[in-house]
Amino acid sequence: MLPTLPSMLQVLWFKRDLRWTDHAPLVRAAQAGPLLPMWIDEPAAWAQRDAATQHRAFAHEGLGELDAWFRSRGGALWRVRGEATTVLARLHALYGSFALWSHEETGNGWSFDRDRAVARWCTGQGVVWRELPCNGVVRRLRDRDRWSQLWTQRMEPLPLPAPGHLTPLAPHELPEAHHDDAVPIHSLDADKPLRQRGGRGQAVALLDSFLAWRGHRYRTEMSSPLTAAEACSRLSAHLAWGTLSVRECVHAVWQRRSEWLAMPADQRPAGAMASLRSFESRLHWHCHFIQKLESEPAIEFRNVNRGFDGLRNEGALTADEQRRLDAWCTGRTGFPFVDACMRGLHATGWINFRMRAMLMSFASYQLWLHWREPALFLARQFLDYEPGIHYPQAQMQSGVTGINTIRLYNPVKQSRDQDPEGVFIRRWVPELRGVTGSAVHEPWLLGSTHLRPADYPDPVVDLRSASQQARVLIHARKADIATRQEARAVYDRHGSRHPGREHTARRSARRAGAVSDPAQISLLGDEEEE
C-alpha cells in the first residue's frame, strides 16, 4: 500500500549526474516536498550503437553509492527498468500528478528524442518538468560571443552542498521495481577487465591525488602513454557520468592555486602551476565542445562543414574499406604504435588524448575512412565517452570542420617520440616482444629475415603514399571557395571566443583565407586534453 503524501511528490530523475553534491535539482526537489529519487535503466539506450557494457557497469557502480547515500538518510534510489514515458505513466497512475526534476542533458540523438517524448508526455499530463542547467553548457544559446562569459558566471558560485534535510520515500514506500525487469538489457560486449571503477568515492580520491602529487607534471607528461595514465587526472569518465561536477573541479583547482601562491615560489612543486593552468583550460574546453553538440545536434551524424560532404565514402563500406576498418578496430594494422594504443584501449577503456587524436587521424587520413564508423567504434571503447566532446573531436581529427589546422599524424614519428624504447608497444603487442632496438617501430624493415615476427601483419597501407594522397585531397577540398565560405558560418556557430586569442584568430584567418579557431588548434599541439 503506497502512502498518501502530505504534498505533491517530487520525482528526481538521475541521468548522467550521479552525485549528491553540486546537484541543483536534488536541492530544489528536496525543498519542495516528499522526494522520490529515480534512475531508469532504459533498454533502448543500451541498444544504441555508441553504448557498451562498460558504460553501464561504470554507471551502476556510481548508482550503488548514490543509493547508499539516500539510504543513510532513510530513503532509497528507485531503480527501475523500462522506457521513460512508460515509467512516468506508471508513477502518474500510482501517485497522481507529481513534479519532475532533472538536469539538462546533452546526449546522443537517441537521448535527445527521448527527452522530447518525455516533454510531450509531461505536457499532455499536466506534469511540470523542471530541467536545470548542467555544468557550463547553455541551452538555447543565441550568441556564441557570450559563451565564455556565461561559463565563468556558472563556475564562480561555490558548489552546492548536499541538502541538509530531505524527506525521501522510505524503501518500503517505493513502487516495486521488478515489474519492468521483463524488458531485457542487451549486452553488446564484455566489460573491460582493467577499466576504472565508478562512484563518487573514486572520483573524489582521483581529484585529491591529482592535485596533491600526480598532476604536478601534467603539462609535460600528458603526451606519452607511458606517463599519461598517472600524470593525467583520470577524471574524464567521472565527469561524463556526473559523479563529480566541472564546477567542483574548477573550485578545487582555484583552492590549490591559492595555496601555492601563498607559498614562496621556490617551495612550490616544480612545473605544478603551469600544469594547473593547463588542467583548468581543459575543464573550460570540456564544456566548450559539449556546447557545440547542444547547439547543433546534427554534428553526431553529418559533417559540421557541409563543404566536405562527399570527400570520403559516406555510404555502405566497400570490401576494402571494411578490411581497413577491421584491421584498425582489432589493432592489427601493422603499425605497432597504432596497434598498441588500440589494444591498450580495448583492455582499459582509456588512452591519452594525443593517442586518441592519432588513432582517429590514422583512420581518417591513411585509411581514408569517413569519421562516422571509427567514431562509433571509439565511443564503445572509451569509458569516458561524452557525445558532445566525442563527435566534434572526431570531425576535428578528420579535417572536416574547415576552421582547424589539418593534423595528419605520422604513426612512426609518434611512436619514436612518445615511446622511444618501445616499452608501450611491447606491453600491448606481444608479437613484437622479441624485436630488439628501434626495429620495433617499423618491423616491416626487417624484411623476410628470421628476426621479423611471423604472426604480426604487414602494414595495411603504404604509409608514404597514403599520407600524401590524403594530404592532397583534404587540402584541395579545404581550399574550395564553398568550403571556405561554410567555414565562416561554422566559426560563427561554434568557434572559440576567448578574448586573448582573437588577434591570433584574425592572423590565422588572413593566412588561411578563412576563419580559424586557434584555441581548438592548440588541443592538437604540444598541449592536449584528456
Side-chain angles (χ1 to χ4, degrees):
M1 184 72 150
L2 293 173
T4 301
L5 302 177
S7 57
M8 180 179 288
L9 180 66
Q10 309 296 307
V11 177
L12 175 60
W13 182 12
F14 284 96
K15 298 200 261 184
R16 292 172 69 104
D17 51 354
L18 307 182
R19 62 183 183 273
W20 52 88
T21 63
D22 205 30
H23 198 295
L26 170 57
V27 171
R28 295 273 300 278
Q31 293 169 343
L35 181 67
L36 191 160
M38 171 182 71
W39 161 266
I40 307 176
D41 216 10
E42 300 171 271
W46 305 115
Q48 301 306 305
R49 294 188 64 201
D50 55 359
T53 297
Q54 64 164 342
H55 300 149
R56 185 168 183 262
F58 186 90
H60 277 255
E61 288 160 0
L63 288 164
E65 288 193 17
L66 191 60
D67 180 47
W69 184 84
F70 279 109
R71 287 182 182 274
S72 71
R73 284 148 181 81
L77 178 68
W78 188 51
R79 296 162 71 168
V80 61
R81 182 174 299 172
E83 304 307 334
T85 53
T86 301
V87 170
L88 293 172
R90 181 179 165 202
L91 288 178
H92 197 266
L94 290 171
Y95 294 102
S97 190
F98 57 84
L100 180 64
W101 298 84
S102 75
H103 271 122
E104 295 171 347
E105 180 182 7
T106 304
N108 60 11
W110 175 85
S111 70
F112 184 37
D113 290 340
R114 182 272 319 274
D115 282 354
R116 288 191 290 189
V118 168
R120 289 193 297 270
W121 181 90
C122 288
T123 299
Q125 300 299 320
V127 170
V128 176
W129 181 16
R130 296 176 176 88
E131 293 182 277
L132 302 184
C134 187
N135 294 319
V137 179
V138 181
R139 185 155 289 186
R140 291 179 287 276
L141 180 68
R142 297 184 181 276
D143 183 358
R144 187 71 196 212
D145 290 346
R146 297 188 60 238
W147 182 81
S148 286
Q149 177 187 355
L150 293 171
W151 183 87
T152 301
Q153 291 174 358
R154 291 266 186 94
M155 294 302 117
E156 283 179 341
L158 288 172
L160 290 168
H165 174 75
L166 65 160
T167 308
L169 297 190
H172 69 274
E173 296 175 329
L174 295 174
E176 291 189 39
H178 69 269
H179 289 172
D180 292 329
D181 284 351
V183 182
I185 295 289
H186 296 286
S187 179
L188 301 179
D189 51 10
D191 197 2
K192 294 189 182 299
L194 301 179
R195 66 165 174 83
Q196 291 177 260
R197 301 299 104 178
R200 183 168 174 81
Q202 292 283 331
V204 171
L206 283 170
L207 179 59
D208 289 346
S209 65
F210 177 73
L211 294 177
W213 60 275
R214 287 191 302 108
H216 290 175
R217 296 179 299 278
Y218 172 74
R219 185 179 176 90
T220 57
E221 294 188 351
M222 66 173 85
S223 293
S224 171
L226 293 171
T227 54
E230 182 171 285
C232 289
S233 76
R234 304 306 304 273
L235 290 169
S236 51
H238 292 283
L239 291 172
W241 283 97
T243 49
L244 200 66
S245 74
V246 171
R247 183 162 60 178
E248 288 180 290
C249 294
V250 169
H251 277 265
V253 167
W254 290 349
Q255 176 64 32
R256 184 49 49 94
R257 177 181 294 121
S258 296
E259 294 168 358
W260 285 344
L261 287 174
M263 298 167 56
D266 60 354
Q267 294 181 19
R268 297 171 196 158
M273 290 294 282
S275 291
L276 210 57
R277 287 193 297 271
S278 291
F279 179 62
E280 184 178 357
S281 74
R282 271 79 191 162
L283 295 172
H284 183 278
W285 291 118
H286 176 276
C287 301
H288 166 81
F289 278 97
I290 298 175
Q291 185 66 55
K292 294 172 185 281
L293 189 64
E294 174 65 34
S295 298
E296 190 174 354
I299 287 175
E300 180 184 352
F301 304 105
R302 61 169 175 78
N303 294 330
V304 64
N305 185 322
R306 305 308 298 273
F308 290 95
D309 287 0
L311 177 65
R312 299 178 177 94
N313 176 23
E314 299 176 25
L317 295 176
T318 67
D320 191 55
E321 287 172 334
Q322 188 66 57
R323 176 185 66 86
R324 282 177 265 145
L325 178 64
D326 289 344
W328 179 81
C329 290
T330 57
R332 292 189 60 81
T333 67
F335 293 92
F337 198 46
V338 171
D339 294 342
C341 289
M342 186 62 83
R343 296 187 198 185
L345 181 58
H346 287 173
T348 68
W350 188 86
I351 193 76
N352 60 313
F353 180 79
R354 181 179 288 274
M355 303 305 80
R356 297 183 188 210
M358 181 193 69
L359 287 174
M360 196 68 208
S361 169
F362 187 79
S364 300
Y365 295 120
Q366 284 91 351
L367 302 186
W368 202 245
L369 298 171
H370 189 273
W371 56 266
R372 174 69 179 165
E373 286 300 322
L376 283 168
F377 179 79
L378 289 178
R380 297 190 294 272
Q381 300 306 312
F382 291 158
L383 179 63
D384 56 15
Y385 166 58
E386 174 68 70
I389 296 175
H390 190 72
Y391 292 108
Q393 283 285 349
Q395 296 206 35
M396 281 177 58
Q397 314 306 346
S398 300
V400 295
T401 69
I403 65 173
N404 302 108
T405 293
I406 301 300
R407 298 285 183 174
L408 201 158
Y409 282 73
N410 181 326
V412 176
K413 181 180 184 302
Q414 290 297 313
S415 181
R416 293 182 181 278
D417 288 349
Q418 308 302 336
D419 187 26
E421 304 301 321
V423 173
F424 188 78
I425 290 173
R426 293 185 180 93
R427 180 186 306 163
W428 293 109
V429 187
E431 306 98 298
L432 299 178
R433 286 174 184 168
V435 177
T436 60
S438 63
V440 75
H441 302 291
E442 300 174 274
W444 57 87
L445 296 182
L446 294 172
S448 58
T449 70
H450 71 283
L451 299 174
R452 184 173 180 180
D455 54 350
Y456 188 67
D458 292 327
V460 68
V461 293
D462 179 85
L463 182 62
R464 183 186 297 272
S465 62
S467 300
Q468 181 58 28
Q469 183 178 16
R471 187 175 290 109
V472 169
L473 291 172
I474 196 74
H475 281 287
R477 183 63 67 92
K478 187 175 182 181
D480 181 79
I481 185 63
T483 305
R484 291 163 64 186
Q485 290 173 343
E486 178 69 11
R488 290 183 171 86
V490 172
Y491 180 79
D492 288 342
R493 292 195 303 271
H494 302 300
S496 167
R497 301 294 199 273
H498 194 292
R501 297 189 177 108
E502 286 303 296
H503 68 285
T504 309
R506 288 192 294 271
R507 184 169 65 249
S508 297
R510 287 194 297 270
R511 182 170 63 248
V515 174
S516 294
D517 189 346
Q520 294 176 56
I521 292 168
S522 72
L523 293 176
L524 300 179
D526 293 334
E527 299 178 22
E528 38 181 295
E529 168 183 275
E530 282 189 81

